Amino acid sequence: MGKEKKEKKEKKVEPEVEKVEKKEKKAKKEKKEKAEPVVEVSPKKEKKEKKEKKRKAEEKEEEEVAAVVETKKEKKSKKSKKEAEPAAVEEEAEPEPAMKVHTKAPAPVAEPTCEVFMGNLSFQIDEASLQDAFKECGTITNCKWLEHSDTGKFKGCGFITFSSPDEAGKAVAMDGTDVLGRAIKVDFSQGKPAGAKNREVRPMQAKPDGCNTLFAGNLSFDIDDDQIKEFFKDCGDISSIRWLTDKETQQFKGCGFVEFSDPDASLDKAAALNGQNLLGRSIRLDYAAPRASKW
């Protein structure tokens, strides 16, 4: 009996505890609601806000797309303008001729002479055929053919005189022209073309004791003994001429030694011709040291 009463009493207490707990929970909930009032959003307002948010996002996207398109247009416009500029320059430039024709202008007239040197001439050349080849230049008044002193045979070169310096200049302009199957060489025989710059003459060394020979450089490859003797004819007799050649090919180097019979009377007079024109070139002269004795 006692046990049953105790159990009934406990059962009666439990509902009361539950009621107290529920009451406390309710009080807490009310207190929370008072502290943080719940803002109720109506469905219409929520829908409107979502729509507005979507509209703003679409506007922003459109603006970004428009900016990209505008940037592309600017780049394209700049590129078109850059490509158009060279075209405009090309239009303004004068058109070049389809073919350029180079013509050899007449050489400047030699101031002191009407005479020219001609080399590489055919051995069948004569005054009549030469006059015919240079008829456009003017009149040939004299032909001096150069011959070998020992055989008397024609050397294939000579000095040709025209009636005026102007005609001689026209003849020099024909250098390289084919005459009787050969490309002839034509140049002024002496002096300098009008307007030509003076070439600085290299000073000579002091004359060594016992010197009787001059070194001659910058010579034409058409030079020979007779032309050297002609050049120094007013200086005195020449006793020896030695041309310098390559040891392997034996080709002329364009220089040599000229020995005089009477060096006391001839050497200084010949040296004074340093820098003068010989066959179209400015001859370079210098004193040569005497060769050492073999004994």
Side-chain angles (χ1 to χ4, degrees):
M1 272 307 272
K3 190 177 179 179
E4 289 179 0
K5 285 182 180 181
K6 189 178 180 179
E7 287 178 355
K8 285 181 180 179
K9 189 177 181 180
E10 287 177 354
K11 287 182 179 178
K12 190 177 180 180
V13 172
E14 285 178 359
E16 289 180 359
V17 173
E18 289 178 359
K19 284 181 181 179
V20 172
E21 288 177 353
K22 285 181 180 179
K23 193 175 181 180
E24 287 178 354
K25 285 181 179 180
K26 188 177 180 181
K28 285 181 181 180
K29 188 176 180 181
E30 287 176 355
K31 188 177 180 180
K32 188 177 182 181
E33 286 176 353
K34 285 180 181 179
E36 298 178 2
V38 178
V39 180
E40 293 183 0
V41 180
S42 64
K44 286 185 179 179
K45 190 174 181 182
E46 187 177 354
K47 189 176 182 181
K48 188 177 180 181
E49 286 178 355
K50 286 181 179 180
K51 192 174 181 180
E52 183 69 19
K53 191 175 180 181
K54 186 178 180 181
R55 186 183 64 79
K56 287 182 178 179
E58 288 176 351
E59 285 180 356
K60 187 177 180 182
E61 187 177 350
E62 286 176 1
E63 287 176 0
E64 289 175 352
V65 172
V68 171
V69 172
E70 186 66 25
T71 304
K72 287 183 178 180
K73 282 184 179 179
E74 286 179 3
K75 287 182 178 179
K76 189 175 181 181
S77 176
K78 287 179 180 179
K79 187 178 180 181
S80 300
K81 189 176 180 182
K82 192 175 181 180
E83 289 175 351
E85 284 177 358
V89 173
E90 288 175 6
E91 288 176 4
E92 292 175 4
E94 295 182 2
E96 293 186 359
M99 184 176 180
K100 292 183 178 180
V101 180
H102 296 278
T103 55
K104 190 174 182 180
V109 177
E111 292 177 345
T113 184
C114 302
E115 187 180 64
V116 298
F117 169 79
M118 291 190 185
N120 198 36
L121 298 173
S122 168
F123 286 89
Q124 280 72 48
I125 196 80
D126 57 21
E127 192 168 340
S129 56
L130 195 66
Q131 179 67 69
D132 183 63
F134 288 89
K135 61 185 177 182
E136 300 296 328
C137 301
T139 305
I140 294 174
T141 59
N142 183 52
C143 293
K144 181 182 178 183
W145 308 117
L146 296 183
E147 301 172 342
H148 290 281
S149 57
D150 52 347
T151 63
K153 290 183 178 181
F154 178 47
K155 291 184 175 182
C157 56
F159 294 93
I160 313 301
T161 306
F162 287 85
S163 59
S164 71
D166 184 56
E167 292 176 356
K170 290 178 181 179
V172 171
M174 290 181 66
D175 177 48
T177 301
D178 186 280
V179 178
L180 298 181
R182 288 196 176 193
I184 64 171
K185 297 178 181 179
V186 187
D187 206 346
F188 293 100
S189 64
Q190 59 183 19
K192 299 177 183 177
K197 293 182 179 180
N198 291 324
R199 183 177 178 180
E200 186 177 349
V201 179
R202 186 184 298 183
M204 299 174 64
Q205 66 175 341
K207 184 169 65 172
D209 294 335
C211 178
N212 63 351
T213 304
L214 285 180
F215 167 80
N218 195 37
L219 300 174
S220 167
F221 283 83
D222 295 314
I223 197 73
D224 59 22
D225 289 14
D226 291 340
Q227 289 160 349
I228 279 288
K229 289 176 180 178
E230 178 69 20
F231 182 74
F232 290 111
K233 64 181 180 181
D234 296 328
C235 303
D237 294 334
I238 293 174
S239 58
S240 173
I241 299 173
R242 301 192 310 277
W243 304 118
L244 296 184
T245 57
D246 187 274
K247 290 182 180 179
E248 294 181 358
T249 64
Q250 298 302 311
Q251 290 184 342
F252 176 48
K253 289 186 174 182
C255 56
F257 294 94
V258 182
E259 185 178 334
F260 290 87
S261 302
D262 186 358
D264 293 336
S266 306
L267 208 60
D268 291 341
K269 191 183 291 185
L273 297 175
N274 184 31
Q276 295 299 306
N277 189 289
L278 174 58
L279 300 183
R281 291 196 177 194
S282 177
I283 190 171
R284 182 164 60 87
L285 300 174
D286 205 347
Y287 293 110
R291 287 188 289 180
S293 175
K294 294 181 181 180
W295 303 99

